[in-house]
Amino acid sequence: MRVQLIGFGNIGQGLARVLLEKEKYLEKRHGLKLRVVSISDISGTVVDEEGVDLKRALEVVEREKKIIGYPGEEMSGLEAIKTVDAEVVIEVTPSNIKTGEPGLSHMLAAMKRGKHVVTSNKGPLALEFKKLKETAEKKGVAFRFEASVGGAMPLVNLATEMLSGDEIYAIEGILNGTTNYILSRMTKEESPLELVLREAQELGIAETDPSYDIDGVDTASKLVILANAIMGVDASYRDVKIQGIRKITPEAIKLAKEDGYVIKLVGEVKNSHLEVAPRLVPVNHPLNVDGVLNVALLRADIAGDITIVGKGAGARETNSAILSDVISIWKNGACL
Amino acid sequence: MRVQLIGFGNIGQGLARVLLEKEKYLEKRHGLKLRVVSISDISGTVVDEEGVDLKRALEVVEREKKIIGYPGEEMSGLEAIKTVDAEVVIEVTPSNIKTGEPGLSHMLAAMKRGKHVVTSNKGPLALEFKKLKETAEKKGVAFRFEASVGGAMPLVNLATEMLSGDEIYAIEGILNGTTNYILSRMTKEESPLELVLREAQELGIAETDPSYDIDGVDTASKLVILANAIMGVDASYRDVKIQGIRKITPEAIKLAKEDGYVIKLVGEVKNSHLEVAPRLVPVNHPLNVDGVLNVALLRADIAGDITIVGKGAGARETNSAILSDVISIWKNGACL
């Protein structure tokens, strides 16, 4: 199966590493021989119909900070999608919650050319889920995005495929590892947000501009994807009521603690209402997970409550989800 | 799709109720029209090629405590499997960990006749997993058993289908709700086992003969199924080192508590070694779940640790897993 990789930052490089490591396993276990026929980043595209040398590509990007500079071509990702033959496009460019670009154009272009799409890119899905879903259906291609929510947690596929007899009537989750790390440390140390945030930035857990995380933007994007994909709600990012964690004080956390609660940034969808806000969670509640972990609680009408906990981010962990989506396409393709 | 229901106790009746409730949903969402063409219990079999009237069957069993007595026939479940036309056999007779019967014969007979098998019956799988798996493969039929472990938790399918790029190198879990309920209450109240057990028996949470639960037999059966199905270990129930919770005292629990631990009955498989034993679990560890909940921690080589928590039992909840397995067969059948 030929795949194109669009985006060669953390996630894309992580995928290259995982593919090198898992080459034999994929062939032995699933009969799947993956060939990455092109890799694009903002600088250009490397194309090799026999399969790009992933080890060499990783060396080049390590040295040059871009993929071109090694037998490359001045070709954009969009151009590569339009001209290079492949069955699957893996879209892992940086997420943009304002325009969804360039991911949105990449995905639509791939679908229109009959290519399956696998992505970790939240922005386009949080803005244009319905359009993407409908385009994929019209073109008869797969559209899979497990990696866009909860990193390594197989949340979307769990709900849609493993709980296929159930209706999910509500979802609650801690979907952002950075804020969860900050709140966990504030709880343990009774320190103010600014202090913990600064240390998280030094550790590389928080970004230099932390607003994406601590103002709830990231959580809201993921919540929109879950609501659309799992509950069939037709919602966009603009529909989410959002409150971040900037106003949480050590005093509030201390008071909560004395009553047996912790404060968590929770995203919830219920009755088509989407909300992100700090919430009091009982200490022994399944949603009370520590550190950078993510958690989601699915309320299912037959199964009852199902909680899943896992690593919400990480260049390696996220690729578990991408790989599983690719394998699923391969397996379904075998019976098309 | 025509299904035969073998076993009409708690789980079987629960399935009939869920099917009545979900009839429209299954057709609308999955295009699946299920027809239960026979229902067998120890007293005989009701057959109707147009579909057994499930509402009436439930009324009869409620009144007569057996399925026959309403236009039934003196036909055993095994005979029904051999003679009635159907695509799927749902085997939900009582589990027997010594012989695996009658479930084992039912499943093998169904497979040999080219019928797919869905089951919640642990015994046959804990004793003869390999034989069942190989027979299913030889006959080209599906063999699905999500309901046999962890009730509503979609654990087996999660690991084998959603984490398909990962290798699971260890599994730890609390797989028996009764012992977990007893230990949780002993922890909360510092009461001795005998007292809590007696109350659990009165509440119907523990059986009159509690050894199946508290001596670890049930946990061990489930662990064997997970090891075989998820990790490809060729193990049988006899290979598990088992220690139950009879010797746990309120004093031991109190000491653990003072150090920030709880005592849980944990099943673990690692390096082909299967063991069930009471273990110290840190209070804030994902395995520390309360009451009748079940939990499993999968250690995956790419995704990292994934924890899933859900209801481990219940006539309704378990049927979430059975239904999801049936839907999966239906969907795969569409492309055979």
Side-chain angles (χ1 to χ4, degrees):
Chain A
M1 195 160 71
R2 293 166 302 174
V3 307
Q4 294 185 268
L5 183 51
I6 313 295
F8 205 50
N10 262 338
I11 304 289
Q13 293 172 40
L15 179 62
R17 275 185 211 101
V18 166
L19 288 181
L20 284 168
E21 180 185 333
K22 287 279 179 173
E23 195 182 347
K24 278 180 194 152
Y25 175 79
L26 291 177
E27 201 173 342
K28 197 179 149 199
R29 169 87 184 272
H30 300 291
L32 171 58
K33 239 181 131 71
L34 269 189
R35 231 186 319 149
V36 179
V37 292
S38 77
I39 300 178
S40 307
D41 70 6
I42 202 161
S43 73
T45 299
V46 180
V47 182
D48 188 337
E49 292 190 4
E50 300 302 309
V52 176
D53 182 337
L54 296 177
K55 216 174 144 198
R56 203 169 150 201
L58 285 167
E59 284 163 13
V60 170
V61 81
E62 172 86 8
R63 196 175 55 233
E64 313 277 344
K65 308 292 167 215
K66 55 184 190 179
I67 188 65
I68 212 166
Y70 142 73
E73 303 171 25
E74 292 290 340
M75 188 200 278
S76 71
L78 193 61
E79 206 51 35
I81 291 168
K82 289 180 182 169
T83 57
V84 178
D85 268 350
E87 281 79 44
V88 181
V89 166
I90 300 178
E91 217 290 340
V92 291
T93 62
S95 193
N96 180 322
I97 193 62
K98 294 216 174 73
T99 65
E101 295 299 354
L104 184 57
S105 297
H106 290 158
M107 295 181 204
L108 290 171
M111 290 172 181
K112 280 177 188 155
R113 270 149 197 87
K115 294 176 176 178
H116 305 294
V117 171
V118 173
T119 189
S120 62
N121 192 342
K122 286 178 290 289
L125 281 73
L127 293 168
E128 297 289 355
F129 187 88
K130 201 177 169 186
K131 188 175 181 181
L132 286 161
K133 183 90 184 163
E134 286 177 355
T135 306
E137 274 164 17
K138 218 171 70 188
K139 296 294 173 181
V141 297
F143 172 43
R144 298 187 70 98
F145 43 85
E146 185 62 71
S148 67
V149 184
M153 293 197 309
L155 186 51
V156 174
N157 299 337
L158 173 86
T160 53
E161 294 171 35
M162 303 292 94
L163 295 171
S164 51
D166 281 83
E167 286 170 88
I168 311 294
Y169 60 89
I171 303 172
E172 290 167 55
I174 296 175
L175 304 171
N176 180 275
T178 305
T179 45
N180 201 35
Y181 173 84
I182 290 171
L183 290 174
S184 299
R185 285 213 35 202
M186 285 176 71
T187 307
K188 225 161 271 166
E189 300 160 19
E190 305 189 353
S191 316
L193 182 89
E194 303 75 45
L195 185 75
V196 177
L197 174 60
R198 212 173 314 128
E199 288 181 21
Q201 285 168 328
E202 281 161 17
L203 287 168
I205 293 174
E207 307 279 334
T208 320
D209 172 9
S211 65
Y212 189 70
D213 293 317
I214 71 175
D215 291 331
V217 180
D218 179 64
T219 301
S221 310
K222 291 168 176 168
L223 193 64
V224 169
I225 297 174
L226 293 180
N228 279 280
I230 296 179
M231 294 170 66
V233 174
D234 176 21
S236 155
Y237 176 75
R238 298 166 200 98
D239 303 317
V240 192
K241 195 177 155 197
I242 310 176
Q243 189 189 333
I245 64 166
R246 280 196 203 261
K247 289 181 186 159
I248 306 294
T249 61
E251 291 70 35
I253 288 179
K254 202 177 158 199
L255 277 173
K257 218 181 190 173
E258 285 166 10
D259 286 341
Y261 290 88
V262 288
I263 298 182
K264 296 287 184 188
L265 184 65
V266 175
E268 182 180 19
V269 47
K270 197 177 171 179
N271 304 327
S272 302
H273 176 77
L274 287 81
E275 183 165 357
V276 175
R279 290 242 301 257
L280 289 170
V281 173
V283 201
N284 62 352
H285 192 279
L287 280 184
N288 180 18
V289 302
D290 253 13
V292 294
L293 286 175
N294 279 19
V295 57
L297 197 171
L298 305 172
R299 299 196 184 271
D301 67 343
I302 314 178
D305 290 355
I306 303 270
T307 309
I308 180 160
V309 183
K311 286 185 182 139
R316 181 174 172 82
E317 291 80 0
T318 302
N319 276 297
S320 162
I322 291 179
L323 201 53
S324 147
D325 275 347
V326 170
I327 293 168
S328 164
I329 289 173
W330 165 246
K331 288 194 161 174
N332 283 321
C335 68
L336 277 180
Chain B
M1 196 160 70
R2 292 166 302 174
V3 307
Q4 294 185 266
L5 183 52
I6 312 294
F8 205 51
N10 262 338
I11 304 289
Q13 293 171 41
L15 179 62
R17 275 186 211 100
V18 167
L19 288 181
L20 284 168
E21 180 186 333
K22 287 280 178 172
E23 195 183 346
K24 278 180 195 153
Y25 175 79
L26 291 177
E27 200 174 341
K28 196 178 151 200
R29 168 85 184 272
H30 300 290
L32 170 58
K33 236 178 134 72
L34 268 190
R35 229 186 319 148
V36 178
V37 291
S38 76
I39 301 179
S40 306
D41 70 6
I42 201 162
S43 73
T45 299
V46 180
V47 183
D48 189 337
E49 293 191 2
E50 299 303 310
V52 176
D53 182 336
L54 296 176
K55 216 173 144 199
R56 199 166 154 203
L58 285 167
E59 283 162 15
V60 170
V61 80
E62 172 86 9
R63 197 175 55 231
E64 315 275 344
K65 308 294 167 213
K66 54 184 188 181
I67 187 67
I68 211 165
Y70 143 72
E73 303 170 25
E74 291 290 340
M75 188 200 275
S76 71
L78 192 61
E79 205 51 36
I81 291 169
K82 289 180 182 170
T83 56
V84 179
D85 269 351
E87 282 79 43
V88 181
V89 166
I90 300 178
E91 217 290 341
V92 290
T93 63
S95 193
N96 180 324
I97 192 62
K98 293 214 175 74
T99 65
E101 296 298 354
L104 184 57
S105 297
H106 289 158
M107 295 181 203
L108 290 171
M111 290 171 180
K112 280 176 189 156
R113 271 150 198 86
K115 294 175 175 178
H116 306 295
V117 171
V118 173
T119 189
S120 62
N121 192 342
K122 287 178 289 289
L125 281 73
L127 294 168
E128 298 287 355
F129 187 89
K130 201 176 169 189
K131 188 175 180 180
L132 286 161
K133 184 92 184 162
E134 286 177 356
T135 305
E137 274 163 16
K138 218 171 70 189
K139 296 294 173 180
V141 296
F143 172 42
R144 298 186 71 98
F145 43 86
E146 184 63 72
S148 68
V149 184
M153 294 196 308
L155 186 51
V156 174
N157 299 336
L158 173 86
T160 54
E161 294 171 35
M162 303 293 92
L163 296 170
S164 52
D166 281 83
E167 285 170 272
I168 310 295
Y169 60 90
I171 303 172
E172 288 167 58
I174 296 175
L175 305 171
N176 179 275
T178 306
T179 46
N180 202 37
Y181 173 84
I182 291 171
L183 290 173
S184 300
R185 285 215 32 203
M186 284 176 72
T187 307
K188 225 161 272 167
E189 300 160 20
E190 305 190 353
S191 316
L193 181 88
E194 302 75 45
L195 185 75
V196 176
L197 174 59
R198 212 173 314 129
E199 287 180 21
Q201 285 168 328
E202 281 161 17
L203 287 169
I205 293 174
E207 306 280 332
T208 318
D209 172 7
S211 63
Y212 189 70
D213 293 316
I214 71 176
D215 292 331
V217 180
D218 179 63
T219 301
S221 310
K222 291 168 177 168
L223 192 64
V224 168
I225 297 174
L226 293 180
N228 279 279
I230 296 179
M231 295 171 66
V233 174
D234 177 20
S236 154
Y237 176 75
R238 299 166 200 98
D239 302 317
V240 192
K241 197 177 155 196
I242 310 176
Q243 191 189 332
I245 63 165
R246 282 198 201 260
K247 289 181 184 160
I248 306 295
T249 61
E251 290 71 35
I253 288 179
K254 202 178 158 196
L255 278 173
K257 217 179 187 177
E258 285 166 12
D259 286 341
Y261 290 88
V262 288
I263 298 182
K264 295 287 185 188
L265 184 65
V266 175
E268 182 180 18
V269 46
K270 197 176 173 181
N271 304 325
S272 303
H273 176 77
L274 287 80
E275 185 167 354
V276 175
R279 289 241 303 257
L280 290 170
V281 173
V283 200
N284 62 353
H285 192 279
L287 279 185
N288 180 18
V289 302
D290 254 13
V292 295
L293 287 175
N294 279 18
V295 58
L297 197 170
L298 305 172
R299 299 196 184 271
D301 68 341
I302 314 178
D305 291 354
I306 303 270
T307 308
I308 179 160
V309 183
K311 286 186 181 137
R316 182 174 170 84
E317 291 81 358
T318 302
N319 277 297
S320 162
I322 291 179
L323 201 54
S324 146
D325 276 347
V326 170
I327 292 167
S328 163
I329 289 173
W330 165 246
K331 289 195 161 172
N332 283 321
C335 70
L336 277 181

